[in-house]
Amino acid sequence: MAVTIRDVARQAQVSVSTVSRALSAPGLVKETTRQRVLDVVAGLGYQPNRAARSLITGRTGNLGIVVPDLENPFYPAVLRGVQTRAGEAGTSVFFCDSREGPETEAELVRTMAAQVDGVVLCSPLQSDEVIAELADLTPLVLINRTVPGVSSVLMDSGSGMDQIITHLESLGHKDYVYLGGPATAWSHQRRLQGLRDRAPMLGPFEPNFTGGLTAAQEALKTGATAFIAYNDLMALGVLSHLAEQNIKVPAQISVTGFDNIIYAAMCSPALTTVAMPTEEAGKVAVDLLAARLEGAPPESRELPTKLVIRASTRNIRC
Amino acid sequence: MAVTIRDVARQAQVSVSTVSRALSAPGLVKETTRQRVLDVVAGLGYQPNRAARSLITGRTGNLGIVVPDLENPFYPAVLRGVQTRAGEAGTSVFFCDSREGPETEAELVRTMAAQVDGVVLCSPLQSDEVIAELADLTPLVLINRTVPGVSSVLMDSGSGMDQIITHLESLGHKDYVYLGGPATAWSHQRRLQGLRDRAPMLGPFEPNFTGGLTAAQEALKTGATAFIAYNDLMALGVLSHLAEQNIKVPAQISVTGFDNIIYAAMCSPALTTVAMPTEEAGKVAVDLLAARLEGAPPESRELPTKLVIRASTRNIRC
DNA sequence: CTGAAAGCGCTAACAC
DNA sequence: GTGTTAGCGCTTTCAG
């Protein structure tokens, strides 16, 4: 059997409560005794039993995150941020991939709720009602989605779209088209708002490579000189289809994405895209969750985005 | 406060032990009472408190996985497999990214050990000794690594290398070079074995895009007609460098990778590579872990790999 | 087949 | 400052 708090107490010649206090409320115990306890703890390699602790405190010291698609590098990046910040606080993170399934998403949160102190929900596809219900079950922080009364961290998609269009127009493009993502995705709606009817929207398409393949076909029919993809994965699909059709990017058509996933810099031509503060968003989400656990009211934070100009966009006159 | 087993017992007019049995040892209770209990459970929405349960059983019902680099799509794929199989068993999974840091890796396993029933360790860079020590701490399953006395699931890298070379030679290549990965990586060693000195090795290089950039530079000096990259990420870097140098792939040089990450099909030219049964490996790892928990001895399983021929390799005479 | 009771390891009143 | 004690919610003997 593992070493328990009693073993430590016995060897340090104090009571179990003193050991407990020395460990979790250092201020309440005399420095010398505390040191003695700590020495014994180190000597015995004592590790408090989390189950016992959480049984009594009601806290698990864990947090959960559910993402819609781990194959989209956008989410691993968020995950890293969450892990980093959570790790600093000694919190472990449960992870789940909902595979773009709204019901799965809700189900996963419900399952997690029982064993975490709170969950981070990335780009949920659920209705506001369901999300509000989930937030009722466990402290919730949304990423890229707002629901009244629920904390969230947003990445400014609207401004990102604005930056893309400004860039495109500065290159002389007048005829561009937006290749839309899932209608229920908050990011998509925000990008649409940023578009302000300055370009027609096609779609919705699946927010992945395959979706981009399809989107490119439709977009070609419009005669537009620039394609604005909902995200990088889709843009990669667009690039691939255009390459296959022997259409030169950016000579004939300019293409932009969203997210700045690592492959955006690796493909050719390298993709002009909007960088999202993914890792930062993960960290902020953990902070917001921590605040909620301390009793703070729900809060929303919006992080800035920034256009990254690479090789997939070019002056129309060239 | 949440509903407890006592609430259920009271309402179902049975003792708590009967409720407990109805839930976790259905055979020990009369069918009719069991049904009554189950009805009450459903009605009240009772969920057993995991902390209390694990305090007494010593099991957490969780498992952990640590991967070296979540940005390499290879690992999200493994993660998915793990999640899928674990989910079927009602097990949750803790996740951690060691960012290619051997000490971090060990530290993460130690931290996890306290709160999981076992951990899956992907492509560890640690020494056999450290891994054996970790395996002593908690049931361990290795992916892409063998250590005596520890369960592992392997993907047949040697055969993959063999398939690549056979393919290359069938295309008339005689002069090819292997761009090596981290010397401590088991996969790298296995690939080297598969090479059987039929080609020189360069490197080691970092197993990522940047590493590929560097590797391509060195490889070009050799005058080889085909570059075999340690993995796809590296191959992507190679492709990128060659494109930049205006060297045509596969017309002038053929390039192959390993892993068949999703981007291998998305880049241009699409990459000839060795498909790894990543998701399957994740599932098998969970199975092996479950077996160990049941008291089975350590076991190793090797999964087959398969060459996927795409557009980055071509007959040397074309 | 079912119930009573004894803890699992820890924290948090409550005393001193 | 420190010790004593009563549980947290559950499983598991042990009786019946």
Side-chain angles (χ1 to χ4, degrees), chain A residues 209 213 232-233 235-244 263-270, chain B residues 209 231-240 243 249-250 255-258 260-273 308 310-313:
Chain A
F209 186 78
L213 256 24
D232 286 349
L233 240 31
L236 254 30
V238 170
L239 249 31
S240 179
H241 182 77
L242 296 183
E244 199 177 283
Y263 301 94
M266 301 186 189
C267 57
S268 61
Chain B
F209 186 78
N231 70 8
D232 286 349
L233 241 31
M234 202 189 264
L236 255 29
V238 170
L239 250 29
S240 179
V249 174
V255 175
T256 67
F258 258 94
N260 195 27
I261 62 175
I262 49 172
Y263 301 94
M266 302 186 187
C267 57
S268 61
L271 202 61
T272 292
T273 187
V308 177
R310 295 210 182 87
S312 67
T313 47

Side-chain angles (χ1 to χ4, degrees), chain B residues 43-83:
Chain B
L44 259 38
Y46 167 71
Q47 277 197 302
N49 179 315
R50 295 180 66 127
R53 176 176 283 179
S54 98
L55 180 56
I56 197 160
T57 60
R59 288 275 197 102
T60 62
N62 299 145
L63 94 224
I65 176 168
V66 0
V67 303
D69 176 16
L70 205 57
E71 259 172 12
N72 183 339
F74 181 85
Y75 298 108
V78 174
L79 210 46
R80 275 198 166 178
V82 169
Q83 188 200 332

Side-chain angles (χ1 to χ4, degrees), chain A residues 157-208:
Chain A
S157 280
S159 145
M161 182 60 94
D162 224 68
Q163 295 174 59
I164 287 181
I165 292 192
T166 305
H167 170 61
L168 252 23
E169 299 206 319
S170 79
L171 295 177
H173 290 275
K174 293 198 170 56
D175 211 1
Y176 36 78
V177 56
Y178 170 52
L179 313 177
T184 53
W186 180 89
S187 304
H188 167 69
Q189 294 301 333
R190 260 345 239 300
R191 283 162 207 187
L192 262 185
Q193 282 173 30
L195 201 61
R196 281 183 279 127
D197 294 326
R198 287 174 289 179
M201 179 193 108
L202 262 38
F205 302 101
E206 276 185 73
N208 54 30

